[in-house]
Amino acid sequence: MKALVKTAAGIGNLEVLDVAEPIPKPDQLKIEVKVGAICGTDLHIHDDEYANCPPMVLGHEMSGVVVEVGDGVTRFGVGDRVTSETFKFTCGHCRFCQTGLIGLCANRESMGVHVDGAFAKYVCQREESLHKLPDSIDFEAGSMSEPTAVAVRAVYERAKVSPGDVVLVSGPGPVGLLCLQAIKSVGATVVLVGATGDENRMALGKELGADVVLNAATDSFGELLDMTDGLGVDIAFECGGSQASLNQCIAHARKGAQLVLVGLFGREISVDLDTAIINELTVLPSFTYRHRTWQRTMRLLGEGTIKTAPLVSGRFPLTEWEKAFETVRARRGSKYLLLPVD
């Protein structure tokens, strides 16, 4: 089968290769991938900005159909439509696993990062990490359930968003737009902030429910201050993964606010800790999710409270991954999908 492989450490070293089809282990299922979605992490791996273990097949956002079931699997059968968490192995014994924080397991192995992922015709995944797709969720939406779970974890489990809060979402990329929708479902007011070049994404954010949309380079933040009696926002979600985005989150958060860090930066950055300390900001990094996060995620997707279809800006065959990656870098849309090829 054809797969997009990170062949060696360093910048680049991605190539579509013919590789053997995977064989499921006793607790695994073999899945025919229908849709893979490109994540910013995939670009960080390409750029050697995110730790990874080549050689391995890239890709961790996916949906597909079960075509083979390993021994001991009880919850799934051939023909089931599924989506997946990234975790392919967690030890189950460390303090993090024992408290449900599987994403922090020191022995964790994730698809497309440490072991073979989903940018291929087939992938094997453990039963524990799979979730059935209800009929109301198509394969494209299913491929975006993983970043949706990231947003749901940040909004519902890490932050304490309440009805009536004024919330800043900085960075109108896919995760930012998913966070926006999750925040709106709680009953909060959302100020979405982007940069020059994000105009299409900011317009989409307005369609998805943002109450105020600001271009950080050209717009005044006076409206934000008016909304908050000059105090600043109650919660700021940093979803852009940039120095400027983080700075504006700190600058426009009120005293005692929550600062939720969702975006990955891929490099060392400087942080205005004095302001964060003096204003007693509660800093909440949010990286992965729990198994239970997915129950809420699938419900929100299934009932249409969080919509993913508007985020899909294009589809590319796996063999055109370079064009797809460059399109993502250019911020010409929101979410781009890779489709398997024979």
Side-chain angles (χ1 to χ4, degrees):
M1 67 174 185
K2 294 189 181 300
L4 180 58
V5 180
K6 176 79 173 181
T7 59
I11 297 174
N13 298 325
L14 288 185
E15 186 176 355
V16 175
L17 300 175
D18 287 308
V19 302
E21 292 185 12
I23 299 172
K25 296 178 181 178
D27 65 338
Q28 293 183 345
L29 301 92
K30 182 178 178 180
I31 302 158
E32 180 183 357
V33 178
K34 294 297 184 182
V35 180
I38 299 173
C39 174
T41 302
D42 299 320
L43 273 66
H44 284 309
I45 290 174
H46 174 279
D47 297 343
D48 199 31
E49 295 174 343
Y50 189 88
N52 59 94
C53 301
M56 71 354 180
V57 178
L58 203 63
H60 61 272
E61 299 179 9
M62 56 79 67
S63 63
V65 176
V66 176
V67 295
E68 187 177 345
V69 176
D71 293 340
V73 172
T74 60
R75 295 191 298 114
F76 299 90
V78 172
D80 283 346
R81 302 167 66 252
V82 296
T83 185
S84 180
E85 303 172 16
T86 63
F87 313 128
K88 205 161 188 174
F89 173 81
T90 50
C91 70
H93 305 297
C94 69
R95 65 182 300 173
F96 305 109
C97 288
Q98 289 293 303
T99 55
L101 296 171
I102 54 174
L104 302 182
C105 173
N107 303 300
R108 183 189 82 247
E109 294 180 348
S110 295
M111 290 196 306
V113 178
H114 309 105
V115 293
D116 286 339
F119 287 162
K121 182 70 173 177
Y122 299 99
V123 65
C124 286
Q125 177 60 298
R126 65 177 186 173
E127 180 179 28
E128 180 181 343
S129 291
L130 290 175
H131 300 271
K132 289 184 180 179
L133 286 178
D135 293 339
S136 57
I137 301 177
D138 63 23
F139 286 120
E140 290 194 352
S143 74
M144 296 175 62
S145 58
E146 195 275 341
T148 304
V150 170
V152 168
R153 165 85 168 141
V155 172
Y156 283 90
E157 299 176 14
R158 293 295 282 159
K160 296 180 176 63
V161 183
S162 300
D165 281 343
V166 178
V167 180
L168 171 67
V169 176
S170 182
V175 172
L177 295 176
L178 293 168
C179 283
L180 155 65
Q181 296 180 73
I183 294 163
K184 288 298 296 182
S185 75
V186 179
T189 296
V190 176
V191 178
L192 178 67
V193 180
T196 299
D198 286 330
E199 287 79 9
N200 290 337
R201 292 177 169 187
M202 291 188 286
L204 177 56
K206 187 67 174 178
E207 293 177 13
L208 292 172
D211 299 278
V212 176
V213 177
L214 299 175
N215 184 323
T218 60
D219 293 333
S220 166
F221 281 76
E223 187 173 0
L224 182 153
L225 293 174
D226 290 341
M227 295 167 62
T228 60
D229 296 325
L231 297 177
V233 299
D234 301 296
I235 308 173
F237 282 79
E238 198 298 299
C239 300
S242 75
Q243 179 79 66
S245 175
L246 178 59
N247 288 345
Q248 70 194 8
C249 283
I250 295 174
H252 297 293
R254 65 164 171 80
K255 294 181 179 180
Q258 299 175 71
L259 172 61
V260 187
L261 304 179
V262 185
L264 292 178
F265 296 88
R267 66 191 72 83
E268 291 186 3
I269 62 167
S270 299
V271 181
D272 181 10
L273 284 180
D274 280 353
T275 298
I277 293 167
I278 292 168
N279 289 343
E280 294 193 357
L281 302 185
T282 298
V283 180
L284 296 167
S286 188
F287 177 55
T288 58
Y289 34 74
R290 300 169 181 252
H291 286 318
R292 72 184 188 193
T293 309
W294 284 71
Q295 298 173 9
R296 178 180 275 132
T297 298
M298 302 310 288
R299 176 175 58 79
L300 292 169
L301 285 172
E303 67 189 20
T305 300
I306 294 180
K307 298 177 176 63
T308 58
L311 275 64
V312 177
S313 301
R315 304 156 186 84
F316 293 85
L318 187 66
T319 48
E320 295 183 14
W321 68 269
E322 289 178 284
K323 182 178 179 181
F325 275 34
E326 288 310 309
T327 304
V328 174
R329 289 187 196 280
R331 296 184 293 165
R332 288 197 289 267
S334 185
K335 197 71 173 179
Y336 288 88
L337 308 179
L338 284 180
L339 306 179
V341 296
D342 292 324

